[in-house]
Amino acid sequence: MSTTERAARALKTVKDEEWRTLAGLERTASGYGTADLGRLSRTAKLPIERVRFAVGELLRKGLAQKKGSGYSLTQQGVELMALKDYVKKDLIFALGPIIAKGKESDVYEAVTEEGTKYALKFYKIGRTSFTKVRRKRLNESADIRSWMTSNYEAAKREYDALRKLRGLSPAFPEVVTHSRNSVLSEQVSGVRLMQRPELVDPRSAFVSVLGAMRLAYVQAGLVNADLSEYNVLTNGESIWLIDWPQAVPASHPNADDLLRHDVEALTTFFRRAYGVDVSAGDAYLFVRGRLPKLE
Ligand SMILES: Nc1ncnc2c1ncn2[C@@H]1O[C@H](COP(=O)(O)OP(=O)(O)OP(=O)(O)O)[C@@H](O)[C@H]1O
Ligand SMILES: [Mg+2]
């Protein structure tokens, strides 16, 4: 079972004072990494003996861990808090199966009470440094702080980018919200282009990809900066551009180079995989909005 699945299971077993202790652990993490019982008692606003008991329960459930003289959240604890947030806001009802395991994230299906299926992406950047608890570390507090910072920020950055893209085109999964290390968005029913699925019309699929990149650039002022056949999904007809945490604004000093790189990666792929012949130069000008249409 993954940390996320264990977190989903723990959801029903966590009591009020444990939630407050978790929130206290999260709050101390950004400043100190770990918290001792005294600090936790103050942040959770609970008497020390209640906090001691709650921490014991959290340790037993794998939601907190002992770090030197203090305590910190585990990845499972972080993901539990995110899930609780979504459930409390009535956004999701249950966690479904895993959709994909990436290098830096795991994507799960999440289901609403009405049966709508969302994609719930949990960032796990640097997952080894967080989970290898036995390895001696010079500064465990700094590790925890930096794990939380980089994963919370990645989720926030992806949310911010998808928020800017919302409504511009069906090619951008509609984002719902984000919490902790996770982003909740529309689930699209496609496979990655790198699997080279059969396309109804490869050229028009490529033009759709470029058209979506153009909307992102011209309307939202965004360059994805990691586009390739890995981050484009398709059902053979429609295309979707996913994976936006590293997106940069069009005003960024490297935006032009990054855009050129994205365009070239996909031009090369469509030529090799589907024999679509579009010049990277024209494609680039089209995406920049400098060429009204592609011949
Ligand atoms: N909105 C979505 N709807 C359906 N499937 C999705 C969605 N977002 C992501 N996925 C699935 O999860 C996979 C990984 O997503 P994404 O590319 O955003 O994360 P990643 O951490 O960059 O993964 P990788 O390292 O594999 O590129 C996608 O290839 C796709 O299969
Ligand atoms: Mg990706």
Side-chain angles (χ1 to χ4, degrees):
M1 225 195 304
S2 72
T3 57
T4 314
E5 284 152 352
R6 281 198 294 265
R9 283 204 171 186
L11 200 54
K12 291 184 189 75
T13 73
V14 175
K15 312 240 162 44
D16 181 57
E17 293 189 351
E18 292 162 41
W19 285 117
R20 286 168 65 179
T21 307
L22 281 172
L25 283 169
E26 185 182 46
R27 231 169 302 138
T28 20
S30 57
Y32 305 93
T34 58
D36 59 23
L37 289 178
R39 191 182 300 285
L40 262 182
S41 157
R42 290 191 296 280
T43 33
K45 298 201 172 59
L46 285 172
I48 199 143
E49 65 276 16
R50 303 297 313 160
V51 163
R52 183 176 289 116
F53 181 76
V55 165
E57 289 297 288
L58 296 175
L59 290 174
R60 197 173 57 76
K61 294 173 186 172
L63 302 168
Q65 59 193 337
K66 187 142 177 50
K67 285 282 175 184
S69 59
Y71 300 92
S72 77
L73 287 174
T74 58
Q75 187 173 310
Q76 209 174 306
V78 167
E79 292 177 359
L80 171 82
M81 294 182 83
L83 287 169
K84 154 103 166 172
D85 206 16
Y86 296 131
V87 171
K88 197 178 66 197
K89 291 176 181 152
D90 270 336
L91 292 169
I92 70 170
F93 181 68
L95 188 73
I98 189 160
I99 300 174
K101 209 174 176 62
K103 289 183 300 295
E104 303 203 312
S105 74
D106 291 343
V107 180
Y108 282 83
E109 186 169 288
V111 193
T112 67
E113 206 153 6
E114 296 78 40
T116 305
K117 289 172 178 172
Y118 288 129
L120 178 53
K121 178 173 178 176
F122 286 95
Y123 278 93
K124 305 194 168 176
I125 301 165
R127 57 176 106 203
T128 48
S129 71
F130 195 74
T131 49
K132 277 193 186 159
V133 284
R134 286 213 200 104
R135 210 163 105 201
K136 272 266 166 278
R137 289 244 153 209
L138 286 177
N139 189 344
E140 287 176 337
S141 300
D143 276 354
I144 288 153
R145 222 167 32 222
S146 78
W147 186 93
M148 288 179 71
T149 311
S150 45
N151 285 284
Y152 283 33
E153 280 178 359
K156 170 81 166 63
R157 281 197 310 269
E158 175 144 44
Y159 170 79
D160 286 344
L162 287 171
R163 185 75 188 75
K164 287 186 186 142
L165 297 166
R166 194 147 78 178
L168 286 182
S169 156
F172 308 122
E174 193 168 322
V175 73
V176 180
T177 188
H178 68 104
S179 178
R180 276 76 193 198
N181 64 332
S182 70
V183 187
L184 185 68
S185 59
E186 172 196 0
Q187 185 182 151
V188 302
S189 57
V191 301
R192 298 176 187 202
L193 274 182
M194 54 82 63
Q195 287 176 240
R196 303 189 180 204
E198 199 174 309
L199 300 176
V200 174
D201 179 347
R203 190 184 165 86
S204 99
F206 186 41
V207 172
S208 301
V209 169
L210 295 172
M213 291 171 72
R214 176 183 169 114
L215 282 173
Y217 187 85
V218 176
Q219 305 279 335
L222 282 181
V223 176
N224 177 296
D226 190 29
L227 274 186
S228 70
E229 59 274 26
Y230 289 87
N231 286 330
V232 179
L233 305 184
T234 182
N235 59 5
E237 204 160 12
S238 304
I239 55 90
W240 294 274
L241 308 190
I242 61 160
D243 206 2
W244 290 83
Q246 67 295 312
V248 299
S251 58
H252 188 278
N254 296 337
D256 282 356
D257 286 345
L258 292 165
L259 184 65
R260 218 177 267 282
H261 190 272
D262 281 356
V263 168
E264 274 167 16
L266 286 166
T267 308
T268 307
F269 174 78
F270 270 91
R271 179 171 301 122
R272 285 204 189 127
Y274 296 104
V276 173
D277 188 27
V278 171
S279 97
D282 284 354
Y284 174 77
L285 290 176
F286 174 72
V287 171
R288 288 288 308 252
R290 295 206 189 133
L291 207 64
K293 64 186 189 48
L294 282 169
E295 287 316 312

